[in-house]
Amino acid sequence: MKRTKITALVLALILTLALALTGCGGSKNTIQIAVPNDATNEARALLLLEENGIIKLTDGVGIAATKQDIAENPHNVEIVEAEAAQLPNLLKDVDYAVINTNYAIPAGLNPVKDSLVIEGSASAYVNILACKEGNEKSGKIKALAATLESKQVADFIAEKYSGSAVGVTQNPGDGYDATVDYAALKGETIRVGASPSPHAEILEISKELLAAKGITLDVQTYNDYVVPNTVVEDGTLDANFFQHEPYLDDFNAQNGTHLVKVVGVHVEPMGLYGGKQTNLDALSK
């Protein structure tokens, strides 16, 4: 009888504690949101979350934001940092993920149709053609840049991606630079690194334009954000096309590389995608 009374008392205390925790919000579930782990894209993801009222960052932190700068977290969000290329694979294991478009598209995600939240104006994140400093005025690089600023490329981006990528060239040309000696480049090969989509796809238009001048464009695809820069730095490739300028600036600072922007081509709005959650209800309570 005595043991029964003690057991009943323990159960009552446990029940009372559980009710108290529920009443003060202590049992609220954590919402996991995966974001890219590189500095510039993590900040970009956090700013997207802030713009949509999911978190509040420290005032003025801007594109230097990290998860340590989260000042208010009303939805009990846990930021999960992961390599950008792995985010589509990680999506099923977290509630949400903020994914770069160049990794979303190959994973079968349409940023316009499938994202729950998408960036608006993102002019700071224009995707660029980059090369090693000192080579930007070479015939090869100028010839390649002219193709990326062409009407053919602008039309391809508009028709192919329907808002998933948005061209930024203001006055598209015919794909050729009047200051380039194309005859001297005939028979030459331009080697460029790119992410598979949309960059390598866009470069197929460049390949056709250069081929008309007898120039070969060798496009080599990469699924990460590091090697495409190191192979341009060491001279293995002439240029790359996969990143935005804030990422390039940070990469140079962190790695002592000497890469520069040649031209800006398009913007890829970053999106928030549902994993375990199929809508934003978990972030609206």
Side-chain angles (χ1 to χ4, degrees):
M1 179 68 72
K2 185 176 182 181
R3 180 179 297 174
T4 301
K5 288 183 177 179
I6 293 173
T7 301
L9 178 61
V10 170
L11 289 173
L13 288 170
I14 291 172
L15 180 59
T16 300
L17 178 60
L19 290 172
L21 287 173
T22 301
C24 69
S27 65
K28 185 178 181 182
N29 293 331
T30 298
I31 303 297
Q32 289 189 317
I33 303 180
V35 302
N37 64 1
D38 62 274
T40 54
N41 282 308
E42 177 170 353
R44 184 180 178 187
L46 294 173
L47 288 168
L48 177 64
L49 298 180
E50 181 180 48
E51 288 166 8
N52 288 275
I54 297 168
I55 59 173
K56 176 72 169 64
L57 297 170
T58 303
D59 289 344
V61 69
I63 62 172
T66 72
K67 66 179 184 180
Q68 306 305 320
D69 295 305
I70 297 176
E72 296 178 21
N73 189 2
H75 304 289
N76 199 27
V77 166
E78 177 189 352
I79 299 298
V80 178
E81 298 165 314
E83 185 181 350
Q86 297 304 316
L87 289 172
N89 297 327
L90 186 62
L91 184 57
K92 66 182 183 299
D93 299 317
V94 295
D95 295 288
Y96 305 94
V98 183
I99 304 176
N100 294 79
T101 292
N102 62 303
Y103 292 129
I105 292 175
L109 297 170
N110 184 307
V112 175
K113 296 179 181 178
D114 298 328
S115 64
L116 301 175
V117 166
I118 193 168
E119 282 178 326
S121 174
S123 59
Y125 302 105
V126 174
N127 282 226
I128 61 173
L129 176 69
C131 72
K132 190 165 185 179
E133 186 175 11
N135 294 337
E136 60 268 31
K137 297 299 183 182
S138 69
K140 282 185 175 183
I141 298 302
K142 289 171 68 176
L144 177 56
T147 67
L148 290 171
E149 293 186 305
S150 68
K151 186 177 186 303
Q152 294 93 319
V153 162
D155 289 346
F156 176 79
I157 292 173
E159 294 168 9
K160 172 76 173 178
Y161 302 110
S162 303
S164 298
V166 181
V168 299
T169 302
Q170 296 299 310
N171 298 294
D174 63 1
Y176 303 108
D177 185 330
T179 69
V180 172
D181 185 351
Y182 286 94
L185 291 176
K186 189 172 183 179
E188 293 280 349
T189 296
I190 303 172
R191 294 176 174 83
V192 59
S195 61
S197 179
H199 306 84
E201 297 166 347
I202 294 170
L203 286 168
E204 288 299 311
I205 308 301
S206 296
K207 185 180 292 188
E208 294 176 5
L209 290 165
L210 291 168
K213 296 291 188 180
I215 304 166
T216 299
L217 183 63
D218 177 13
V219 180
Q220 300 183 21
T221 58
Y222 297 87
N223 287 309
D224 72 288
Y225 284 169
V226 176
V227 178
N229 276 338
T230 59
V231 291
V232 173
E233 175 71 15
D234 68 20
T236 302
L237 299 184
D238 298 298
N240 63 45
F241 179 39
F242 76 97
Q243 65 196 319
H244 50 66
E245 196 168 7
Y247 179 85
L248 176 63
D249 290 343
D250 184 70
F251 189 93
N252 280 333
Q254 295 296 322
N255 297 280
T257 45
H258 309 84
L259 308 179
V260 295
K261 169 188 173 181
V262 183
V263 292
V265 183
H266 68 278
V267 172
E268 299 171 13
M270 182 180 268
L272 174 71
Y273 298 85
K276 293 179 180 179
Q277 306 290 337
T278 58
N279 54 49
L280 294 174
D281 288 354
L283 295 170
S284 60
K285 297 176 181 178

